[in-house]
Amino acid sequence: SSLLLMAGIMVTVGLCRRFTRRRLRSHQRLCTFLLEMFSTFQICACTNELCLLGNVEPKPHTALTLTYGFTVLHGLTLTGSTCNPCGTLQPMWGGGISVEMGGLKIAAQFVAAVLARVFMHFIWSLEVAEPHFGALSQGCSNPMQTTEMQAFCIELLFSVVFQLTILRVESVNPKYKVHLIALLITMLVYAGGNLTGAIFNPALAFSLHANCFYDKFLSYSLVYWIAPSLGKFLMLYVF
């Protein structure tokens, strides 16, 4: 049921993106906002559901396999979208897009993060699948299983590694590039998922753990917003 739900989300988002490109191409700002919003919604909604499947046996093989598989699917279906505020900072830094357009994309990403969380909570309340039972009563799932400083360093390091890899594989054939990126994300999740969740995406982190931001805003904004953004700036400055 969970796999069918995620497949349905991807198909619906694909149709919405196609409609937006065809009907709103002349409205550049609105088209850009909606495309980025739909794409980020897909990643946030599917990742919310994947988090519920993390305890499916055999652990962690099932969760890692699903992470790799759906990351490949996201890469193949969401071409042209960054779905990550940190990724949007790169063209803004290099002058590829204006600050206004970059801000519009980041706003779309956080709007999508909130919409995805609201939508998934509604789906979980229906309890159509076994993993949904009791999902709404978890509150803050507390992804940080280490000290705040260590969590900050992990998310910063993962952000640098991920964004540097994105730059290095730009010239690689797209059909191979998505697999390389998916493999890297799966390796990072395996290495640090039990410590911080290995998110390195501010919008996704807010969608997954909004309750934690409400409870401990300073700690979670430092680890899941500032650390990956700082990692991106350090990588751009050095390389």
Side-chain angles (χ1 to χ4, degrees):
S1 299
S2 291
L3 295 179
L4 289 175
L5 172 62
M6 289 186 283
I9 291 172
M10 297 180 71
V11 171
T12 303
V13 167
L15 293 175
C16 291
R17 282 167 53 86
R18 187 175 182 180
F19 177 83
T20 300
R21 285 198 180 99
R22 286 187 173 184
R23 301 296 183 180
L24 301 175
R25 185 175 299 177
S26 59
H27 304 279
Q28 183 180 6
R29 293 182 181 177
L30 179 59
C31 182
T32 299
F33 181 89
L34 290 177
L35 287 175
E36 194 67 30
M37 186 186 72
F38 289 139
S39 301
T40 307
F41 176 90
Q42 175 177 310
I43 289 181
C44 291
C46 290
T47 306
N48 268 280
E49 186 68 17
L50 281 174
C51 287
L52 296 183
L53 303 178
N55 294 322
V56 175
E57 296 293 344
K59 298 188 295 185
H61 306 85
T62 301
L64 293 175
T65 301
L66 290 174
T67 298
Y68 175 82
F70 276 93
T71 303
V72 171
L73 291 176
H74 292 325
L76 293 174
T77 59
L78 301 179
T79 54
S81 299
T82 57
C83 308
N84 187 338
C86 296
T88 307
L89 294 175
Q90 179 184 336
M92 290 175 61
W93 178 281
I97 60 174
S98 65
V99 174
E100 181 182 2
M101 189 62 70
L104 188 68
K105 286 189 173 185
I106 293 175
Q109 291 158 2
F110 276 98
V111 168
V114 174
L115 291 177
R117 181 172 180 83
V118 172
F119 173 75
M120 293 309 298
H121 276 215
F122 169 73
I123 295 296
W124 293 345
S125 67
L126 301 178
E127 297 186 342
V128 295
E130 183 178 350
H132 298 172
F133 299 154
L136 295 179
S137 62
Q138 293 180 358
C140 174
S141 56
N142 192 18
M144 281 197 290
Q145 299 299 317
T146 182
T147 65
E148 185 177 307
M149 182 56 65
Q150 289 179 337
F152 177 89
C153 294
I154 290 172
E155 287 294 312
L156 186 149
L157 175 62
F158 283 4
S159 177
V160 170
V161 172
F162 176 72
Q163 299 296 340
L164 180 59
T165 302
I166 294 295
L167 287 180
R168 293 297 185 182
V169 300
E170 281 185 347
S171 59
V172 177
N173 189 312
K175 65 181 180 180
Y176 300 125
K177 180 167 66 174
V178 293
H179 289 280
L180 291 175
I181 294 174
L183 180 61
L184 172 65
I185 290 176
T186 304
M187 292 173 61
L188 294 178
V189 170
Y190 177 72
N194 62 324
L195 298 175
T196 66
I199 303 173
F200 47 90
N201 181 333
L204 178 59
F206 185 71
S207 183
L208 294 176
H209 305 294
N211 289 337
C212 298
F213 281 91
Y214 300 151
D215 295 341
K216 301 179 181 178
F217 178 79
L218 292 179
S219 297
Y220 278 80
S221 60
L222 179 67
V223 173
Y224 294 106
W225 288 355
I226 297 177
S229 300
L230 179 60
K232 180 65 176 180
F233 280 119
L234 287 176
M235 188 272 297
L236 289 174
Y237 180 77
V238 173
F239 294 97

